[in-house]
Amino acid sequence: MTTAHRTWGRAEQQDFRSRVRGCLLGGAIGDALGAGAGAGGDADFAPAYGRRGAVTAGTQMALFTVDGLIRAQVRRDGGRWHPPTDVHAAHRRWYATQKDWGPDERKAEDGWLAREEWLYAPRGAPRSCLRGLADDRMGTLQKPRNPEAKDPGAVVRSAPFGLLVGWEPQLVFQLAAECATQTHGHPTGYLAAGAYAVVVHGLARGDAPEAAAGRALEILAGRPGHEETTAAVRATLDARRPGGPPETAAGAVSVALHCALAATDVRHGLLLAVGDDASGGGDGDPHVTGSLCGGLLGAQHGETALPPAWVAEVEGRGTLLQLADDFALEMTLGPALHGDAAPNEAWLLRYPR
């Protein structure tokens, strides 16, 4: 799995940073809206986990996905290149936040994100994620963890793969699916993660949602066990309706895509995604469909399209923005930060090799 460095123009860098910020913040906002749904939060943030704007484990894990992808790029210039391993190590650092007392137990090599105290709050992590990351055995496509797991627990952490806009869509799909198998071994569990990442990827590169979803279908067609995910995405494109129950990974992606396609603006799309009508009669969690829809709309429209009051109040905004900017900086100017000529020691302290 290899990609080449590219040269970015200034306007391209600014647009990319806006879309990265939009995707991560949009996902967190949708997550927080859904977390409070049913407690008066259908049209605004409502208290969940003791505060308004609280995010769930899905956003926590997505942040560690970003951290792992940055670390993979840093290690690449150090002569080591295997992104699934780095993402798995990052998710294991997230797992440590769910069982350790706090950031004081972290070592320097864990980097800055693992020392963010607010991330140590347990926020309803799926059992599949906790089981899959409980030891250091890494699931692969050949030997996945939790072969029965097809809930959306892997999909909600997969938007960052789509932000690898310099990669080809097939590689984005492959990486997202492979990393999903670290906790979700059912084909629907990991193929839906790959499909969702490809849709985010297309939107982040400026494609229309229909074109991005169509590309995901093309890639899915060659994958064993794709039928459930393909049917869900195709139903959304052809019939403009959710194509499956949102408690499955495929159904959750379908609901999120349906709401993004129906949205008149970001606020409208997010409220659709966390509302009762989005479930189609299923038992899915609104924070999942809200997060997935927010990631899509944020990647498509950028940070300035997000409702400012929600941006201001969502939990962890400072961390989200810092990580988004670090990701954009790494992906556009990484060689200047840690190339052989003049490695930046401050950057390598943030993202150790």
Side-chain angles (χ1 to χ4, degrees), residues 160-300:
F161 298 113
L163 298 174
L164 297 168
V165 297
W167 291 36
E168 290 302 311
Q170 294 86 347
L171 288 178
V172 169
F173 186 102
Q174 178 72 16
L175 180 59
E178 192 165 343
C179 290
T181 66
Q182 296 168 6
T183 57
H184 288 68
H186 190 284
T188 298
Y190 60 79
L191 294 179
Y196 177 71
V198 169
V199 178
V200 172
H201 183 256
L203 295 175
R205 300 213 295 191
D207 294 343
E210 294 85 352
R215 189 169 299 111
L217 286 173
E218 291 173 3
I219 298 172
L220 277 167
R223 303 287 177 141
H226 71 92
E227 290 80 8
E228 186 174 8
T229 304
T230 293
V233 175
R234 190 173 299 283
T236 302
L237 290 181
D238 293 347
R240 288 297 194 269
R241 61 174 176 80
E247 60 266 29
T248 69
V253 171
S254 176
V255 168
L257 180 59
H258 165 72
C259 294
L261 287 168
T264 57
D265 57 26
V266 174
R267 179 184 177 86
H268 177 235
L270 288 175
L271 293 179
L272 285 176
V274 303
D276 292 339
D277 292 342
S279 69
D283 297 321
D285 290 322
H287 70 84
V288 170
T289 49
S291 176
L292 296 179
C293 183
L296 295 176
L297 291 172
Q300 181 180 10

Side-chain angles (χ1 to χ4, degrees), residues 3-4 19 51 71 109 113-114 116 169 179 193 216 232 237 251 262 280 289-290:
T3 60
R19 292 177 188 270
R51 59 157 292 166
R71 297 275 283 266
E109 56 263 32
L113 186 64
E116 291 287 293
C179 290
L237 290 181
T289 49

